Amino acid sequence: MRLLSGLLLLFLAGCGIPYDGETIINIEGRVVDAYNQPLPNQRAYLGASYGDDGYDTATYKTVTDGQGAFRLTLFRPNEGAELIFEENSTYLPLFCTGLHTSNFSGLQWNLGTLVRYKATDLVSVTIVVNTVNPNSILEQLKLTGMIYTPNYDFNTLTTGDPISLDYQVRKNQTCTLQYKVKNGLTQQVSELTVPLVIAESNVTYTLNL
Amino acid sequence: MILVVWSSLGLQAQKVKKQPWIDFNPAFRFGFQYPQLVGSNFFADDLTESLGFHTSLSLVKIANFRATVGWELQGYRNNNPNRIGNFSHIQSSTALFQVEYEHPLNGRWVLNPTLAYGQSRITYRATRSGTTLARQSWEEIRLGSYANYSFDKTFVGYVGLHYAFLYNSDIKASPADEDYFGRGNKLVLSLGILIH
């Protein structure tokens, strides 16, 4: 009888119910600003997909405490979920996607430190690729540093676009431009890095290959 | 003299009517119940009870023991959306398998001590009739008694008082959460009609 009940539950769980009532997890993390200062009173809610086109946003909400920390005790989402910090009068939106068992093990899901940016914190960086040597093939290009992206993706399977040319970055920092260039004749791949100093203005950097 | 003795023996035989060892005398019970959640757990701390409904059926009595199958429907309201989610309504549907003993007290009163095992499906909903958001399977052990008052041969009124221990052996959680969200206790007061 118990086996039948369990099987029935398992079947029903796959039939469009957003949460697994038999598994309780804790999602925690810390929210800071662009200068690593804790952000209290940041409101977020969980968006959980289920079924063909179901999406629940009303069941789980949280607010950061005085240290910028938050903690949610919840039934584990059956399918993918995301933690959403909506845009408000001060900060740009932040979507933490990939909250799924394939990306987190155990019952404690630690999202780490999440950074929220104000629009006034940011300048744009544009990379212009200038192919001087026709045999040079740009295979990968990435800027690292304090960079704003609305989507904080926990999907470990997602590698992202190998070549990104436009960024919104925090002012007053030194970013690192990492890129890979392949010689079409020799097939040799070179990995290079270039420091980019960001001040108060937008930056356009020409990368000569 | 033989005739006098013979007739008095016949009268004695009529007075002592033996109860059959197996009595195919069905008993159908239905009524309302009110649980009182107790202890320090999710059910007691974060839910509010409401009136529930129960029914049960027994088809045969063997040496004053009855095996009964029953069903209950019970609703709870969530008082603390910050605990495990903003579920407005939680519904419990329970199948009970019960053994009860009929202990006559006097001509109209009968005491029915009972021991039951139940399996429940608990559904968490956004609203009373809204989307199902999560489900759980629970078990319970219930001990208590009914007191039955016979109005006539067919209709009996009863009150019941039972203590139930609830547990969810399937729940996966941290030890503290497993204890808080996976156990429960309740006193159940019931009132209804039993029909033979």
Side-chain angles (χ1 to χ4, degrees), chain B residues 110-125:
Chain B
V110 175
L111 201 63
N112 272 38
T114 66
L115 176 64
Y117 166 76
Q119 290 193 344
S120 304
R121 186 179 78 175
I122 294 187
T123 304
Y124 293 77
R125 295 187 196 278

Side-chain angles (χ1 to χ4, degrees), chain B residues 20-23 61-65 101:
Chain B
W21 192 67
I22 299 177
D23 187 4
K61 182 170 68 174
I62 301 175
N64 280 7
F65 283 92
Y101 179 76

Side-chain angles (χ1 to χ4, degrees), chain A residues 1-2 5 8-9 12 16-24 26 50 56 58-60 73-75 107-108, chain B residues 83-87 119 121 124 131-139 168-174 177 181:
Chain A
M1 181 73 178
R2 185 126 184 91
S5 301
L8 180 63
L9 253 189
L12 290 170
I17 299 176
Y19 305 103
D20 174 9
E22 303 289 5
T23 305
I24 296 175
N26 293 293
Y50 63 100
D56 171 65
T59 304
Y60 293 109
T73 299
L74 68 156
F75 293 135
L107 302 170
Q108 310 296 325
Chain B
R83 183 76 75 183
I84 193 61
N86 189 21
F87 306 101
Q119 290 193 344
R121 186 179 78 175
Y124 293 77
T131 308
T132 295
L133 296 170
R135 284 199 182 101
Q136 292 176 324
S137 284
W138 284 70
E139 296 172 88
N168 183 345
S169 53
D170 286 338
I171 205 162
K172 292 174 280 295
S174 67
D177 285 342
F181 292 105

